Amino acid sequence: MDKFLIRGGRRLQGEVTISGAKNAALPELCAALLSAEPVSLVNVPGLQDVRTTFKLLRNMGVAIEAGDDGRVTLDAGELTSREAPYELVKTMRASILVLGPLLARFGEARVSLPGGCGIGSRPVDQHIKGLQAMGADIVVEHGYIVAKAPRGLKGTSITTDMVTVTGTENLLMAATLAEGETILENAAQEPEVTDLAELLIKMGAKIEGHGTGCIRIQGVGRLHGVAPAQAHRVVPDRIESGTFLCAAAATGGNVTVRDTRAEHLSAVLDKLREAGVEIETGPDWIRARADGGRRLRAVSFRTSEYPAFPTDMQAQFMALDCIADGTAEVTETIFENRFMHVNELLRLGAKIEAVGHTAIVHGVQKLSGAIVMATDLRASASLVIAGLVADGETVVDRIYHLDRGYDQMEKKLRGIGADIERVK
């Protein structure tokens, strides 16, 4: 099982290029199921979750051509199966995103209840309720969601009980082929949802209001493909951007991230500035500088839905707070079990008290290298950041979690001065 060996204490300096967003690429790969014509994407990241999605779609009969340069063309013209089996779904919760497209285009789907990393329950009931409101007959039996809509889906008004990103994406995709108008209230506003909508529009969908809490979709009879010359470019990964900015800040570095969008990271950039990091931005770059020799300030924050501070940056920013001056209060409102990295940070010498949904972080002068274990995707990144600043050697075990969401992280970190290597 792969591990990271990190020798800490080196400032990060230079430039790093950000990959396409995992949380945009996965639904966009599934969106190819909506059309009988090929759909081409570029800037698809080389991640384990992307490879898992390829395997899932190929199992259904989707023909996929994927290059090493992030170019992917998917052809769902002749599907052989409408099922997403457990053995292909168990490792990735985003597999639920095939449900809406299959049901909308073929009138049937059988999808295993999803798995993924253990950061808390992410119920699929909002997906099911929304599709039922559109006329689908859905039962959950033997661990599978069995959905049928032999007469097609009907447009309707849907208000989800909570803001759900994958729920919004599933219902958005399903609504593109539903009869009449669908209104999604309390919709997720994340950039990845907006990017999915832009792809669907390129495929012929009629969508308004994406990027707001109310999305309107006028159903169409069919969606066409996207030719390679007009391939849709997956939006940059804002969480990868934020992770490298936190790493730069924690190490007292000076790093510019390229191929990114500052407007997607406003809440994170505000907190970095509050901590004392110098932030500069351009059309497609962000520079974080913390090499002035002074210790950063501990910063409190609360996670919430976009555009507020993202839950996917909570662990990385907590690692920054661990070596900052002062005390910070971190409140997690999205997932009920997302402080699993706390015990591992304690092994590195951090001082953290976690009670319920709140963690009190008391900044320390330094961390000490140790063997730690990754428990989920973003926890992995926080341990890497802590290892970069810790004295001595840190070993981060079970980095298969990290490979689900970061494209060649160790290579990118070495490119900006980190002493990190992948070992068995």
Side-chain angles (χ1 to χ4, degrees):
M1 191 177 294
D2 286 2
K3 307 174 179 66
F4 277 163
L5 172 60
I6 306 169
R7 300 173 184 88
R10 300 181 64 168
R11 290 182 175 177
L12 301 184
Q13 298 187 69
E15 297 186 354
V16 61
T17 300
I18 299 304
S19 301
K22 173 181 89 87
N23 291 337
L26 300 184
E28 288 168 5
L29 293 171
C30 295
L33 293 168
L34 290 164
S35 177
E37 300 175 4
V39 174
S40 293
L41 306 172
V42 295
N43 204 34
V44 177
L47 306 173
Q48 184 57 46
D49 275 10
V50 168
R51 291 187 285 273
T52 299
T53 303
F54 285 168
K55 190 173 182 180
L56 173 62
L57 294 175
R58 284 186 172 121
N59 189 69
M60 295 177 184
V62 179
I64 302 175
E65 295 180 9
D68 295 333
D69 59 354
R71 291 182 174 272
V72 177
T73 297
L74 307 98
D75 187 346
E78 297 183 13
L79 286 199
T80 56
S81 172
R82 297 0 173 204
E83 179 174 326
Y86 172 73
E87 57 268 21
L88 294 178
V89 170
K90 62 183 179 180
T91 61
M92 189 179 67
R93 293 178 184 269
S95 303
I96 191 68
L97 290 166
V98 302
L99 177 61
L102 287 174
L103 188 58
R105 182 174 162 209
F106 299 102
E108 60 178 351
R110 187 171 186 265
V111 180
S112 173
L113 291 170
C117 55
I119 58 171
S121 63
R122 298 196 233 186
V124 298
D125 62 316
Q126 299 303 304
H127 305 238
I128 293 172
K129 288 179 182 178
L131 293 170
Q132 287 174 328
M134 298 169 73
D137 178 17
I138 301 179
V139 296
V140 178
E141 57 185 17
H142 308 298
Y144 278 80
I145 302 168
V146 181
K148 296 180 180 179
R151 291 180 294 277
L153 298 174
K154 309 294 183 184
T156 187
S157 180
I158 302 169
T159 303
T160 54
D161 296 337
M162 64 190 75
V163 177
T164 161
V165 174
T166 54
T168 298
E169 291 166 340
N170 234 339
L171 299 176
L172 172 61
M173 288 189 283
T176 61
L177 295 179
E179 180 184 337
E181 181 181 66
T182 300
I183 302 174
L184 301 181
E185 297 277 9
N186 203 27
Q189 301 177 44
E190 273 74 359
E192 296 81 13
V193 176
T194 301
D195 199 51
L196 171 62
E198 293 295 337
L199 168 62
L200 295 171
I201 290 169
K202 290 179 182 177
M203 296 170 65
K206 296 181 179 179
I207 303 171
E208 296 178 349
H210 44 297
T212 76
C214 179
I215 305 176
R216 291 179 177 269
I217 308 101
Q218 296 289 340
V220 297
R222 60 179 291 274
L223 294 181
H224 55 71
V226 179
Q230 288 79 43
H232 178 76
R233 184 172 185 83
V234 177
V235 71
D237 195 321
R238 60 194 171 99
I239 304 303
E240 184 187 18
S241 299
T243 299
F244 278 101
L245 294 172
C246 279
T251 62
N254 183 352
V255 172
T256 300
V257 294
R258 299 283 182 185
D259 291 353
T260 189
R261 297 187 187 176
E263 65 269 25
H264 293 168
L265 274 170
S266 295
V268 174
L269 297 183
D270 285 347
K271 288 299 179 180
L272 285 170
R273 291 187 180 101
E274 188 178 336
V277 182
E278 295 180 29
I279 299 291
E280 297 177 64
T281 64
D284 62 353
W285 58 271
I286 306 169
R287 182 187 186 193
R289 183 172 182 176
D291 57 358
R294 63 185 183 280
R295 195 172 170 200
L296 297 179
R297 296 183 291 273
V299 174
S300 299
F301 61 94
R302 179 186 184 90
T303 67
S304 192
E305 293 84 3
Y306 187 86
F309 195 96
T311 180
D312 279 353
M313 281 300 304
Q314 177 253 107
Q316 301 91 307
F317 212 98
M318 185 184 291
L320 179 60
D321 275 337
C322 284
I323 46 86
D325 183 23
T327 298
E329 182 175 298
V330 177
T331 303
E332 174 60 56
T333 72
I334 306 298
F335 296 122
E336 73 275 11
N337 194 24
R338 207 165 200 181
F339 283 152
M340 291 189 292
H341 48 284
V342 167
N343 285 336
E344 302 304 305
L345 289 171
L346 292 176
R347 288 179 52 79
L348 296 169
K351 292 182 64 177
I352 308 170
E353 304 158 16
V355 180
H357 294 284
T358 301
I360 306 299
V361 185
H362 305 280
V364 297
Q365 288 283 348
K366 65 177 182 178
L367 299 176
S368 299
I371 299 174
V372 292
M373 181 179 70
T375 52
D376 64 67
L377 170 55
R378 306 307 173 184
S380 308
S382 75
L383 298 178
V384 170
I385 293 171
L388 290 172
V389 301
D391 289 343
E393 293 186 349
T394 296
V395 175
V396 182
D397 201 357
R398 295 174 63 179
I399 59 168
Y400 62 84
H401 286 294
L402 187 139
D403 290 336
R404 292 183 49 231
Y406 290 93
D407 188 358
Q408 302 182 76
M409 176 181 256
E410 72 274 26
K411 180 179 179 180
K412 292 182 178 182
L413 283 171
R414 282 198 300 269
I416 51 177
D419 189 345
I420 180 173
E421 60 182 310
R422 184 180 292 253
V423 298
K424 296 293 186 182

